[in-house]
Amino acid sequence: MAESLRPFRLRGCGSPQKFGVAAGSLRGLLRKGCRLLQLPLAGSRLCLYEDGTELTESYFRALPPQTELVLLGPGESWRGCATDIERLLAAFCSQQGAVVEAARRLLTDERAPHRQKLLADLIHNLSENILAEDKEDDKKWFEGLESRFKNKSSYLRHSCESRMRGYMREVSGFISNVHPAARDAYRGILDLMADKLKSVKYNGCYFDRREEEESARLCTTEGWFSCQGPFDRDDCPCKHSINPYSNRESRILFSTWNLDHIIEKKRAVVPELAEAVKTRDGREVNWEYFYQLLFTLDNLKLVHIACHKKTNHNLSCDKTRIYRAMKKTYVIS
């Protein structure tokens, strides 16, 4: 009784092109493959594309339909999908763009999760252009951004400034919750905070590679950023890190990271500020302490979105720092 035919995907050792071939036995598949790829039957053999395992008749019978196989001619070898990766890397020095494009084509037709991860990592690493700063040197990084951004630091600095402006709007928007008698004092503190933010350019220097002394507090001068959460553990359990200067994909992914207030902005800092203004009773509100909590790395940490703890942090402002001693004035008679 003739064995039923099963379909397989077959390719040669040196070609990405695949062919559909149906056979009921290993010998039959080998014969058809050699005829199709014009290889001699003597000395040829079949192996798995994924890991290079050479097929036997019993192993062949256990294979599911549509398994991807490689037909090897005499003297040829195959060590699995890593062979494709090695071939791409060998061309890297002189043909980086072509290598990335070839890897993308392989990825679109790839189904195995492990091979997908290898190819995706390869594309990401070969697409990096970390040292480039200006638009002329890495035009792809700037795709989708406004034309006014001429270098990477200016865009990331703008992103940080925008975030700080957003925090300031939230503090200003809380004024409707402030006791009417204390609103003028609250506005006065808002003005002081706004002036200080303007004087330091909305802390955008934290994300500027050229401001080495400042940016060293958050990242290295090469632009690497590490996740600093969750706040109640020693460090990020997943060891998240990213360099948004490296390529467009990293720049977009970095935009999903959060600046997390350790003492929460909405639940703790802003309501405490409003209460301090209301109950100051002749004391001077230490607005610079609240400024530090709202806008600086004293209370902000950079976290991957998966490590951003959304539940209540259950932390409060330091009661001993809410007010400060009034400056004494002396009258000379």
Side-chain angles (χ1 to χ4, degrees):
M1 180 178 178
E3 295 182 347
S4 58
L5 302 180
R6 288 182 299 142
F8 297 92
R9 291 182 294 156
L10 187 64
R11 54 178 283 182
C13 181
S15 171
Q17 187 176 8
K18 301 172 188 178
F19 301 91
V21 181
S25 66
L26 177 62
R27 184 69 179 176
L29 182 59
L30 186 61
R31 187 182 300 109
K32 288 183 178 181
C34 287
R35 189 184 311 127
L36 180 66
L37 300 179
Q38 298 182 342
L39 291 174
L41 184 60
S44 293
R45 59 207 188 281
L46 288 163
C47 67
L48 293 179
Y49 169 79
E50 185 167 2
D51 60 12
T53 302
E54 191 167 330
L55 300 188
T56 62
E57 191 66 54
S58 59
Y59 194 1
F60 169 80
R61 288 203 233 26
L63 291 177
Q66 300 298 341
T67 297
E68 186 171 345
L69 305 173
V70 177
L71 177 59
L72 301 174
E76 293 181 331
S77 62
W78 183 261
R79 297 190 300 107
C81 60
T83 303
D84 271 343
I85 307 291
E86 289 173 353
R87 186 179 298 117
L88 291 171
L89 288 172
F92 168 61
C93 292
S94 60
Q95 302 178 20
Q96 179 176 352
V99 173
V100 172
E101 183 56 35
R104 291 189 193 280
R105 286 198 301 269
L106 279 173
L107 186 59
T108 58
D109 195 38
E110 191 50 72
R111 293 179 176 84
H114 179 64
R115 295 201 297 266
Q116 287 178 337
K117 180 67 166 58
L118 282 174
L119 289 167
D121 288 348
L122 175 69
I123 292 170
H124 178 82
N125 292 333
L126 295 189
S127 299
E128 287 187 345
N129 196 359
I130 293 174
L131 296 180
E133 169 69 10
D134 296 330
K135 188 173 185 177
E136 293 75 15
D137 299 324
D138 194 356
K139 292 182 179 179
K140 186 173 178 58
W141 192 94
F142 291 84
E143 289 181 3
L145 300 182
E146 297 177 36
S147 59
R148 63 191 174 102
F149 298 113
K150 304 302 181 184
N151 56 61
K152 296 178 180 179
S153 292
S154 66
Y155 171 73
L156 290 171
R157 188 167 60 248
H158 165 77
S159 297
C160 182
E161 292 173 2
S162 297
R163 197 167 297 194
M164 296 300 155
R165 291 175 190 272
Y167 295 162
M168 191 67 209
R169 285 194 295 270
E170 288 184 56
V171 182
S172 300
F174 195 80
I175 197 167
S176 60
N177 299 301
V178 178
H179 191 278
R183 287 178 184 173
D184 285 343
Y186 188 85
R187 289 190 185 95
I189 288 177
L190 293 182
D191 291 340
L192 292 170
M193 288 184 173
D195 289 342
K196 186 170 180 64
L197 276 174
K198 291 175 184 176
S199 71
V200 295
K201 300 179 180 178
Y202 290 86
N203 292 327
C205 60
Y206 291 147
F207 294 86
D208 192 334
R209 287 193 292 190
R210 294 170 299 182
E211 299 285 346
E212 296 183 9
E213 184 176 348
E214 291 290 340
S215 64
R217 298 181 60 198
L218 188 59
C219 60
T220 70
T221 56
E222 292 183 351
W224 281 100
F225 294 81
S226 297
C227 176
Q228 299 169 303
F231 76 92
D232 53 355
R233 299 182 186 174
D234 292 335
D235 54 14
C236 165
C238 298
K239 306 299 181 185
H240 293 117
S241 63
I242 193 171
N243 191 325
Y245 295 91
S246 62
N247 53 40
R248 180 174 178 269
E249 288 75 16
S250 292
R251 186 255 297 169
I252 294 173
L253 179 60
F254 186 62
S255 68
T256 69
W257 284 44
N258 297 146
L259 275 173
D260 187 18
H261 286 85
I262 301 171
I263 301 175
E264 294 172 280
K265 176 177 79 271
K266 292 182 178 179
R267 291 190 177 107
V269 181
V270 178
E272 189 70 63
L273 173 60
E275 183 64 19
V277 173
K278 173 187 172 185
T279 59
R280 65 191 187 280
D281 192 23
R283 294 172 291 181
E284 182 181 359
V285 176
N286 186 4
W287 67 269
E288 289 177 318
Y289 170 60
F290 288 99
Y291 175 92
Q292 290 172 351
L293 295 181
L294 290 166
F295 304 111
T296 77
L297 297 179
D298 290 346
N299 191 47
L300 281 168
K301 62 176 184 175
L302 188 65
V303 294
H304 185 280
I305 189 171
C307 293
H308 190 176
K309 187 173 181 178
K310 304 291 186 180
T311 55
N312 196 327
H313 293 186
N314 294 316
L315 296 174
S316 58
C317 301
D318 183 351
K319 300 294 185 182
T320 66
R321 301 184 64 188
I322 291 176
Y323 299 101
R324 60 187 174 193
M326 298 285 286
K327 294 180 180 179
K328 294 182 179 180
T329 58
Y330 298 91
V331 177
I332 301 176
S333 59

